[in-house]
Amino acid sequence: MGIEVEKKAGFDTESAKEVVKELRASFVAGKTKTYEWRRTQLTAMLKMMDENEPQIVAALTDDLSKPELESSIYEIAMLKNSCKLALKEMKHWMMPEKAKTSLTTFPSSAEIVSDPLGVVLIISAWNYPFLLSLDPVVGAIAAGNAIVLKPSEISPATASLLAKLVKKYLDCSCIKVVEGSVPETTALLEQKWDKIMYTGNGRIARIVMAAAAKHLTPVVLELGGKSPVIVDSGIDLQVATRRIIAGKWGCNNGQACISPDYIITTKDYALELVDSFKCELERFYGKNPLESKDLSRIVNSNHFARLLKLLDEDKVSSKIVYGGERDETNLKIAPTILLDVPQDSLIMNEEIFGPLLPIITIDKVEDSFDLINYSGAKPLAAYLFTNNKKLKEKFVEKVSAGGLVVNDTTVHLAEPTLPFGGVGDSGMGAYHGKFSFDTFSHKKAVLYRSFAGDAAVRYPPYTAGKLRLMRALLGGSIMGIIRALLGWSKP
Amino acid sequence: MGSQSEGKAVFDTESAKEVVKELRASFVAGKTKSYEWRVSQLTAILKMLEENEQPIVSALRDDLSKPELESSIFEIGMLRNSCRLALKEMKHWMKPEKAKTSLTTFPSSAEIVSEPLGVVLVISAWNYPFLLSLDPVVGAIAAGNAILLKPSEIAPASSSLLAKLVADYMDGSCIKVVEGAVPETSALLEQKWDKIFYTGNGRIARIVMTAAAKHLTPVVLELGGKSPVIVDSDIHLKVATRRIIAGKWACNNGQACISPDYLITTKDNAVKLVDSLKCELEQFYGKNPLDSKDLSCIVNSNHFDRLLKLLDEDKVSSKIAHGGERDETNLKIAPTILLDVPKNSLIMKEEIFGPLLPIVVVDKVEESFDVIKSCGGKPLAAYLFTKNKKLTGKFVAEVSAGGLVVNDTTVHLAEHNLPFGGVGESGMGSYHGKFSFDAFSHKKAVLYRGLGGDASLRYPPYTPGKLRLLQALLSGSILRIIRALLGW
């Protein structure tokens, strides 16, 4: 414990330089490139999880009071699936992709080769500290890179456990964990990385990208936003309500980047929706949700105070239709629903990231789209509950977000065939499944030619005849080429 | 001309804000989204090229003394192909891509929808001012964006012609050209764009990316580097030499991002290679290359001086094996070959971007890979001439560059099925063909579920039974699922 604390205190620019130097030496020595190495690391990760599930659950309980089911399913099982998929598909992903060549370079063949980028930095978040740390690492390993992982200090038990487990199970000469907060992260960001992947908020993301710019380091930024849920009428309200609750309070008590942030529904439907929520919320969390063991707490007092500020704002506190209870000692806020808060309230102008759910009402359900686009900030996710085919089409056409789900919330995260990432303020780049492999790879174009068939047409001295023929060749039309060869095309 | 200079003089932050505002309004109004609009704009570019080949060739001659064949083929011909390909394939590119879904979300269906990013900024370069301005624009149009193009002021005739032609042929409410230099570019970079596409050098690229970071704007940076050519022995030397010359001096006189920058060959092969180069250079450009009409000039006196500085450095000027002649009045430097320059010379430290070709000599050809790795950042391209399959395999495995070509130079640029872009210092992102469409699109994941068949497993109150069953479901193992269902 003493040594760990010393290390943390002393991690400065020099230490960061050393770490990068060591990883770069490992990378250059080719350690991370072999299929075998990648396999062993991913297999080790699976073993790590198999042998440490209770410890991981305990750390998540420490940091977030995360319910065991959420830890087990949404962090550990998802990560396991990620490893398993990579192990299964990696050989295929690593194969060069043949590319068709054209008449212009005939005879030739071409392929796109996936190269590791080199030494990558992964900066993780506090809300799914296990998943959001190691899921990107899975991609980086599969693509053959050396890695530094910087877990969030706001979930310290998990950060500490990650450091311990990575050291024990993975190849430390190629994969390292650096714990710390602003000073350590700053020291890391001064170094030259081949890629930086950051999960978190827009303010820090700007700092990360500006630091990356100094070294022309490409970045993936997984951010957030206000993910809206449009609820149409004429649907199975019970199922819809349950799915919204599962995506909101069932996901770390609303502290998830793709949690439903707020609801939009019609004036006519609002009360029915509120009643359905009240009913299902009680079914899920009982009459005293502050005592339910199935809800994460608010991560720390900063965020607790932040959320209360949103809730207790003058024109907002009167709009509570359900919940509002809080327990400061245990950092708990009950599931809270608000109806018709003003557009200019704080709660409608920042990502909530907590157990408060405003419902905005409109006249016609089609008005939702303008409301969503009103702020100009594209969210990470957007949801629609409807049976109306045309409304679905309009939704997909008009709403720009990282990802959309019709008739559910958050589950698209679990589909490895879908790229997971934001757009605009919600981020850039994507990962999951093969997208993770691609994001940590350089797609290198390779063209093979032979010495045969060298056309003097491209060489100086340039003549009118050569120009005609080159034009025809580039045009790709056989007739054009013949005409040029016979001297028939215009100069 | 008067109003243009006035326009240029006062293009400040306010003007930049106004331009973005107008483009955004056009985009939000949906003008650029329809397939028909995209087709009309690409068709307009084709018409523009068709009707203005001579003015374009003229402008390129003004700016670069670019030979007509190079202008016609490498700028206009390539651009035409780009438009044609987009017109042919766009409908297909625009279609959502179906994605398989798993047991976890059963029953469900999914797709990946390509949507335009919005309002994009394309900042172009001076060496292929037409191609590097409009080729990215083709991609941005195909993807349905509103566009601002900022051509390079270092090629002013082309910049001016582009501004005129775009205004004449294209939809001015959605596609604009802003001419200017540092002040105008800075004003543009302060604005919020949905993507910035920059072609040029690493120094400005850092400025562009830093500006983009303020708005979380994604970028494509097409830069350069020192593109090496490894020349093995026992090859068809004449063909190899010609292809090197074609990629170097016949590409804007070495002023191209993927031009061979320097050669690496073995001690045993060096003299033969130099002789072959001398022979073919004379075939191509005659005995007095300074008089040849088939060579571009050096673009301006800044670059002319920069190149002379590389050439006239003490330990370097004595290594000239061919050429070295210069004509300051006409900004011409003859094709120049240097043999065995010191590793720490200026000419081996920066991207040459001109008609000077150093040859580095090694004992064994395999040592080339270390030379390349020690030569600064990862280049935009790397080339190898060999008949040796093993060496080819090693080259592809060990050399990291934007793109590689075996037994030729630069031609990969013309293959639209290959992503064209750099890595590390040579850039990020890529384009050409469908990669252009993708570069200017947001790939939006869409998952569709039905409201029937709802499993209460995921809902609180959480129980050990639910946990077991969920774990089993997620593991995908049927046996495990059955056991969990039976409470085992």
Side-chain angles (χ1 to χ4, degrees):
Chain A
M1 214 12 221
I3 300 170
E4 273 175 67
V5 170
E6 264 191 272
K7 261 211 196 126
K8 268 194 226 174
F11 192 90
D12 57 2
T13 305
E14 273 317 300
S15 328
K17 253 196 200 137
E18 275 309 305
V19 161
V20 176
K21 196 167 158 209
E22 187 187 340
L23 288 173
R24 202 162 284 291
S26 298
F27 178 75
V28 162
K31 283 184 168 190
T32 61
K33 284 196 177 175
T34 66
Y35 176 69
E36 289 68 36
W37 181 87
R38 305 182 204 194
R39 269 204 84 85
T40 57
Q41 298 309 294
L42 295 174
T43 311
M45 219 186 269
L46 281 174
K47 191 166 178 233
M48 178 208 295
M49 286 185 275
D50 278 336
E51 295 177 356
N52 293 276
E53 183 147 345
Q55 288 91 317
I56 296 168
V57 168
L60 291 166
T61 306
D62 270 357
D63 285 333
L64 301 150
S65 300
K66 190 170 278 199
E68 182 186 358
L69 187 137
E70 286 186 36
S71 299
S72 183
I73 300 305
Y74 302 130
E75 298 232 29
I76 299 171
M78 293 264 308
L79 191 54
K80 269 194 188 149
N81 271 13
S82 203
C83 286
K84 284 181 188 160
L85 182 73
L87 279 163
K88 178 164 172 258
E89 299 290 329
M90 197 165 57
K91 207 159 212 173
H92 174 69
W93 294 345
M94 284 171 71
M95 263 161 44
E97 194 189 313
K98 293 250 160 278
K100 267 203 265 187
T101 52
S102 68
L103 195 68
T104 322
T105 59
F106 182 85
S108 62
S109 67
E111 59 187 6
I112 301 168
V113 172
S114 295
D115 274 354
L117 286 165
V119 182
V120 305
L121 173 63
I122 293 169
I123 302 174
S124 170
W126 56 259
N127 58 336
Y128 284 77
F130 210 71
L131 181 68
L132 299 179
S133 293
L134 294 178
D135 204 2
V137 169
V138 166
I141 290 173
N145 299 277
I147 304 151
V148 168
L149 168 63
K150 159 66 186 72
S152 171
E153 68 278 16
I154 295 177
S155 43
T158 312
S160 176
L161 180 62
L162 271 165
K164 176 164 159 279
L165 291 178
V166 164
K167 198 155 185 212
K168 185 171 171 204
Y169 287 84
L170 302 183
D171 179 354
C172 316
S173 68
C174 304
I175 304 176
K176 294 188 185 293
V177 174
V178 172
E179 293 184 77
S181 57
V182 174
E184 290 78 9
T185 311
T186 307
L188 288 170
L189 285 174
E190 282 169 9
Q191 309 312 311
K192 180 179 163 77
W193 303 93
D194 297 299
K195 189 129 188 181
I196 299 176
M197 175 155 168
Y198 168 75
T199 305
N201 67 65
R203 190 181 66 84
I204 307 294
R206 283 165 169 82
I207 295 171
V208 170
M209 190 169 169
K214 295 199 174 80
H215 296 288
L216 293 177
T217 298
V219 299
V220 172
L221 305 172
E222 295 271 325
L223 312 177
K226 292 183 78 61
S227 298
V229 187
I230 304 171
V231 182
D232 193 13
S233 45
I235 57 168
D236 188 332
L237 192 51
Q238 185 181 61
V239 172
T241 311
R242 290 174 162 189
R243 289 179 178 179
I244 295 170
I245 295 175
K248 179 80 168 184
W249 297 283
C251 276
N252 204 29
N253 206 9
Q255 299 164 107
C257 52
I258 46 171
S259 258
D261 187 279
Y262 67 101
I263 309 245
I264 309 172
T265 195
T266 52
K267 289 183 161 48
D268 294 335
Y269 206 52
L271 288 176
E272 217 178 314
L273 180 58
V274 172
D275 283 341
S276 182
F277 268 120
K278 288 181 179 180
C279 176
E280 297 305 320
L281 277 168
E282 193 174 308
R283 197 194 297 265
F284 285 12
Y285 302 113
K287 288 195 190 296
N288 295 313
L290 286 179
E291 287 158 27
S292 169
K293 291 206 161 20
D294 294 340
L295 283 167
S296 297
R297 67 160 196 266
I298 306 308
V299 67
N300 62 23
S301 46
N302 277 353
H303 281 276
F304 187 83
R306 179 184 66 79
L307 288 162
L308 285 195
K309 193 163 161 224
L310 299 184
L311 194 54
D312 296 340
E313 196 186 4
D314 268 343
K315 40 199 179 167
V316 164
S317 50
S318 51
K319 305 287 185 181
I320 298 176
V321 293
Y322 180 86
E325 302 95 354
R326 69 286 303 268
D327 170 359
E328 186 151 5
T329 325
N330 295 304
L331 292 177
K332 291 192 173 203
I333 298 176
T336 301
I337 300 175
L338 305 98
L339 185 55
D340 266 334
V341 296
Q343 268 292 93
D344 60 351
S345 53
L346 283 174
I347 201 173
M348 282 311 290
N349 282 286
E350 58 176 81
E351 186 177 3
I352 295 168
F353 224 72
L356 321 175
L357 183 70
I359 301 178
I360 308 290
T361 61
I362 45 175
D363 291 319
K364 286 189 336 287
V365 75
E366 290 81 5
D367 296 340
S368 321
F369 307 135
D370 287 333
L371 196 67
I372 293 172
N373 293 327
Y374 177 74
S375 72
K378 300 174 183 181
L380 187 55
Y383 308 109
L384 167 67
F385 285 88
T386 188
N387 282 322
N388 182 332
K389 189 159 183 261
K390 273 198 118 184
L391 193 67
K392 286 182 199 179
E393 284 168 12
K394 262 196 134 186
F395 174 65
V396 174
E397 186 203 322
K398 287 190 173 258
V399 175
S400 183
L404 307 180
V405 184
V406 174
N407 290 331
D408 207 329
T409 63
T410 70
V411 286
H412 59 305
L413 188 104
E415 289 300 342
T417 52
L418 289 175
F420 185 78
V423 61
D425 286 306
S426 52
M428 58 181 79
Y431 73 127
H432 286 183
K434 182 171 188 283
F435 303 101
S436 293
F437 175 86
D438 292 342
T439 216
F440 288 105
S441 299
H442 165 52
K443 300 295 180 178
K444 185 168 73 183
V446 185
L447 181 71
Y448 301 92
R449 295 207 74 204
S450 74
F451 288 100
D454 200 41
V457 147
R458 45 193 275 223
Y459 303 135
Y462 299 139
T463 64
K466 282 183 181 178
L467 176 52
R468 263 198 308 271
L469 192 46
M470 283 285 278
R471 272 216 193 97
L473 271 167
L474 218 74
S477 133
I478 302 294
M479 274 317 292
I481 294 170
I482 293 174
R483 275 164 44 209
L485 280 166
L486 295 173
W488 284 354
S489 43
K490 58 177 177 6
Chain B
M1 210 21 216
S3 59
Q4 268 180 62
S5 355
E6 266 191 272
K8 269 194 225 176
V10 295
F11 191 90
D12 57 3
T13 306
E14 273 316 301
S15 326
K17 253 196 199 138
E18 274 309 306
V19 160
V20 175
K21 197 167 158 210
E22 187 187 340
L23 289 173
R24 199 161 286 291
S26 297
F27 177 75
V28 163
K31 284 186 170 188
T32 61
K33 284 196 176 178
S34 69
Y35 176 70
E36 293 72 29
W37 180 88
R38 306 181 203 194
V39 167
S40 74
Q41 297 308 291
L42 295 175
T43 311
I45 295 182
L46 281 176
K47 188 164 181 241
M48 178 208 293
L49 296 170
E50 209 44 62
E51 295 177 357
N52 294 277
E53 182 144 352
Q54 276 320 300
I56 293 171
V57 168
S58 231
L60 291 166
R61 196 178 294 120
D62 273 357
D63 285 332
L64 301 150
S65 297
K66 189 171 279 202
E68 182 183 0
L69 187 138
E70 287 186 35
S71 299
S72 184
I73 300 304
F74 301 130
E75 298 232 28
I76 299 170
M78 296 262 309
L79 193 51
R80 211 177 253 144
N81 271 13
S82 202
C83 286
R84 286 192 188 138
L85 181 75
L87 280 163
K88 178 164 172 260
E89 300 290 329
M90 196 163 58
K91 208 161 212 168
H92 173 68
W93 293 344
M94 284 169 71
K95 273 211 199 95
E97 193 189 314
K98 294 250 160 276
K100 269 203 264 184
T101 52
S102 67
L103 194 71
T104 324
T105 59
F106 182 83
S108 61
S109 67
E111 58 186 9
I112 301 168
V113 173
S114 294
E115 53 174 37
L117 286 166
V119 182
V120 305
L121 172 64
V122 176
I123 302 176
S124 170
W126 56 259
N127 58 335
Y128 284 77
F130 264 86
L131 181 66
L132 299 179
S133 293
L134 294 177
D135 204 3
V137 168
V138 165
I141 290 171
N145 299 277
I147 303 151
L148 189 98
L149 168 63
K150 158 67 186 73
S152 172
E153 70 277 15
I154 296 177
S158 302
S159 172
S160 177
L161 182 59
L162 270 163
K164 177 169 163 296
L165 292 179
V166 167
D168 284 345
Y169 285 82
M170 312 200 63
D171 179 352
S173 70
C174 303
I175 303 177
K176 295 185 185 294
V177 174
V178 167
E179 295 188 77
V182 174
E184 290 79 6
T185 311
S186 301
L188 289 171
L189 285 173
E190 282 169 13
Q191 308 312 311
K192 180 179 162 81
W193 304 94
D194 297 300
K195 190 128 189 181
I196 300 177
F197 186 106
Y198 168 76
T199 306
N201 67 65
R203 189 180 66 82
I204 306 295
R206 284 165 166 80
I207 294 172
V208 170
M209 189 171 170
T210 304
K214 296 199 174 80
H215 297 288
L216 294 176
T217 297
V219 299
V220 172
L221 306 172
E222 295 272 327
L223 313 176
K226 293 184 77 59
S227 299
V229 188
I230 304 172
V231 184
D232 196 10
S233 35
D234 298 324
I235 57 170
H236 200 313
L237 190 54
K238 187 163 159 174
V239 171
T241 309
R242 290 176 160 190
R243 290 178 178 179
I244 292 170
I245 296 175
K248 179 80 168 184
W249 294 282
C251 274
N252 205 26
N253 207 8
Q255 300 165 106
C257 52
I258 45 171
S259 259
D261 187 278
Y262 65 102
L263 306 189
I264 311 171
T265 195
T266 52
K267 283 189 164 55
D268 298 332
N269 206 29
V271 172
K272 258 199 300 181
L273 178 55
V274 172
D275 284 342
S276 181
L277 281 165
K278 287 183 180 180
C279 177
E280 296 304 320
L281 276 170
E282 197 175 304
Q283 293 254 6
F284 285 14
Y285 302 114
K287 286 195 190 297
N288 295 312
L290 287 179
D291 295 332
S292 169
K293 292 208 162 18
D294 293 341
L295 284 167
S296 296
C297 291
I298 307 306
V299 67
N300 60 22
S301 48
N302 278 352
H303 281 275
F304 186 85
D305 291 338
R306 179 183 67 78
L307 288 162
L308 285 194
K309 194 163 161 224
L310 300 183
L311 193 54
D312 294 342
E313 197 185 4
D314 268 342
K315 39 202 179 162
V316 164
S317 50
S318 51
K319 306 287 186 180
I320 297 177
H322 179 83
E325 303 96 355
R326 72 285 304 268
D327 170 359
E328 185 152 7
T329 324
N330 295 305
L331 292 177
K332 291 188 176 208
I333 299 175
T336 301
I337 300 170
L338 304 101
L339 187 54
D340 245 346
V341 294
K343 269 215 191 96
N344 58 0
S345 53
L346 283 173
I347 202 174
M348 281 311 290
K349 284 221 181 111
E350 53 176 86
E351 185 178 5
I352 294 168
F353 223 72
L356 320 175
L357 184 70
I359 303 178
V360 172
V361 173
V362 292
D363 289 321
K364 290 195 325 286
V365 75
E366 289 82 4
E367 290 164 32
S368 315
F369 305 137
D370 289 329
V371 171
I372 295 173
K373 284 173 197 170
S374 67
C375 208
K378 298 174 183 180
L380 187 55
Y383 308 110
L384 167 68
F385 285 90
T386 189
K387 280 191 174 155
N388 183 332
K389 275 205 164 70
K390 267 194 121 185
L391 191 67
T392 302
K394 258 198 136 190
F395 175 65
V396 175
E398 300 214 15
V399 177
S400 184
L404 307 179
V405 184
V406 178
N407 293 333
D408 208 329
T409 64
T410 70
V411 287
H412 61 304
L413 189 103
E415 287 301 338
H416 58 82
N417 290 315
L418 289 176
F420 184 78
V423 62
E425 284 290 325
S426 51
M428 58 182 79
S430 61
Y431 72 129
H432 284 184
K434 181 171 188 284
F435 302 102
S436 292
F437 175 88
D438 292 343
F440 287 104
S441 300
H442 165 52
K443 301 294 181 177
K444 186 167 72 180
V446 185
L447 181 71
Y448 300 91
R449 296 206 73 203
L451 284 166
D454 202 40
S456 64
L457 288 180
R458 48 195 268 228
Y459 304 137
Y462 299 140
T463 65
K466 283 183 180 176
L467 175 53
R468 257 195 316 269
L469 194 43
L470 271 173
Q471 279 167 334
L473 270 168
L474 230 75
S475 78
S477 145
I478 302 292
L479 208 57
R480 198 170 163 184
I481 294 170
I482 292 172
R483 276 162 49 202
L485 278 167
L486 294 172
W488 289 353

